[in-house]
Amino acid sequence: GESVGLHLPTLSVQEGDNSIINCAYSNSASDYFIWYKQESGKGPQFIIDIRSNMDKRQGQRVTVLLNKTVKHLSLQIAATQPGDSAVYFCAENIKGNNRKLIWGLGTSLAVNP
Amino acid sequence: GAGVSQSPSNKVTEKGKDVELRCDPISGHTALYWYRQSLGQGLEFLIYFQGNSAPDKSGLPSDRFSAERTGGSVSTLTIQRTQQEDSAVYLCASSLGLGEETQYFGPGTRLLVL
């Protein structure tokens, strides 16, 4: 048979490797960006955020990079673990847009033991 | 205290019936959001409440959808005359509001319309 439906981009990595998840955002007026992690059957969970006046922000094992010139956002996960397996969403907030986040489609990260 | 809670966790209904979905935000959070997530998709904004201001309903897909927030806390999303295309996970999120954008999500309600 033939499958129908949208398939999320998938990134498959080996446990212990670093992961890089990319996101292109749409609006040059966006001033705030967030990465969320969504595990199966759960709501999205906040990972890290960054404002447009910054290029880089680091958290625990995660780093977010923002390139405003090409409207590109990336999430780097160091030493990826099986528990990192999830769908990762980037979201942008357009300045003055009443704090409604605009969400990307998501990237599925699969960590192989 | 506890995070955002939603009920029911799962709901199966027949086409044409009305359903009510409940969201209890984090205590003290003035902003509350409803989203819809279809299988394998991103989040679709539905409605946003901020304090006592008029809600932003710009994301509601049709007049069959409505939401209330009583007392600035609990919110109910109502879908009237449900259709099969309403089947999705309905997610609620809350934030401190007043410029604090980080949203904290509940586990969602999985709605299946037969």
Side-chain angles (χ1 to χ4, degrees), chain A residues 35-98:
Chain A
W35 280 100
Y36 281 87
K37 169 186 179 183
Q38 187 174 27
E39 296 174 279
S40 181
K42 297 183 179 180
Q45 176 186 4
F46 171 86
I47 304 175
I48 191 167
D49 59 1
I50 188 168
R51 295 192 181 277
S52 59
N53 61 351
M54 302 173 68
D55 297 323
K56 178 180 179 179
R57 191 169 186 208
Q58 289 185 294
Q60 185 178 14
R61 281 203 307 121
V62 295
T63 300
V64 56
L65 298 178
L66 175 63
N67 185 329
K68 293 180 287 293
T69 303
V70 295
K71 296 202 285 289
H72 184 267
L73 194 68
S74 69
L75 176 70
Q76 300 178 1
I77 304 173
T80 314
Q81 302 169 0
D84 295 327
S85 294
V87 177
Y88 289 80
F89 292 96
C90 66
E92 62 181 300
N93 174 249
I94 300 173
K95 187 176 181 180
N97 196 29
N98 211 19

Side-chain angles (χ1 to χ4, degrees), chain B residues 8-13 18-21 88 109-113:
Chain B
S9 54
N10 294 280
K11 178 71 176 178
V12 181
T13 191
D18 298 350
V19 295
E20 283 190 352
L21 312 179
T109 293
R110 283 147 193 82
L111 175 65
L112 177 61
V113 182

